[in-house]
Amino acid sequence: HDDIAAAVAADLAFHDGVLQASANPFVPVLFSQLRQVLKVTRSQTSSKQDIRRRALNHHKLIRDAIAAHDEAAAREAMNAHLDQTWDDFTHYFRSSGLTDLPKSPAASNK
């Protein structure tokens, strides 16, 4: 039995922990403004087991890099996770009939 609410809560808690570990007092404050929107979208995308599995794999890479105090690896892992999240988000919503989605925020930084 899939517990979507628990998966979403765990996902948001993971990101809260990463933000707290950043030691930047502004980052958690900014994230708090997006938290409700992310909770709604993650509640939808987390209904797909393959999306949850990909996210968990990325979370492990991020966690391991932070635990190793490897800033470059943590940054790379987080960027890969953001790309994965965007790809999953757009695929999920396109398969739901939405086709007019913006380009990935990460793509504009490359």
Side-chain angles (χ1 to χ4, degrees), residues 40-58:
V40 170
T41 58
R42 286 201 169 101
S43 294
Q44 295 167 339
T45 58
S46 290
S47 67
K48 305 293 185 187
Q49 192 171 32
D50 57 326
I51 291 176
R52 286 197 321 268
R53 186 174 33 258
R54 278 192 295 277
L56 283 173
N57 288 336
H58 282 271

Side-chain angles (χ1 to χ4, degrees), residues 44-45 48 50-51 54 82-102 104:
Q44 295 167 339
T45 58
K48 305 293 185 187
D50 57 326
I51 291 176
R54 278 192 295 277
L82 292 173
D83 287 342
Q84 165 262 316
T85 300
W86 184 258
D87 290 346
D88 286 341
F89 171 80
T90 56
H91 177 77
Y92 174 82
F93 284 101
R94 282 192 179 111
S95 68
S96 299
L98 295 174
T99 57
D100 190 24
L101 295 169
S104 164

Side-chain angles (χ1 to χ4, degrees), residues 30-73:
L30 293 172
F31 185 74
S32 70
Q33 301 300 310
L34 298 172
R35 199 171 210 286
Q36 188 58 38
V37 171
L38 292 174
K39 184 176 180 181
V40 170
T41 58
R42 286 201 169 101
S43 294
Q44 295 167 339
T45 58
S46 290
S47 67
K48 305 293 185 187
Q49 192 171 32
D50 57 326
I51 291 176
R52 286 197 321 268
R53 186 174 33 258
R54 278 192 295 277
L56 283 173
N57 288 336
H58 282 271
H59 287 180
K60 289 174 187 173
L61 294 172
I62 294 163
R63 179 202 62 207
D64 292 349
I66 291 171
H69 302 281
D70 187 338
E71 185 178 330

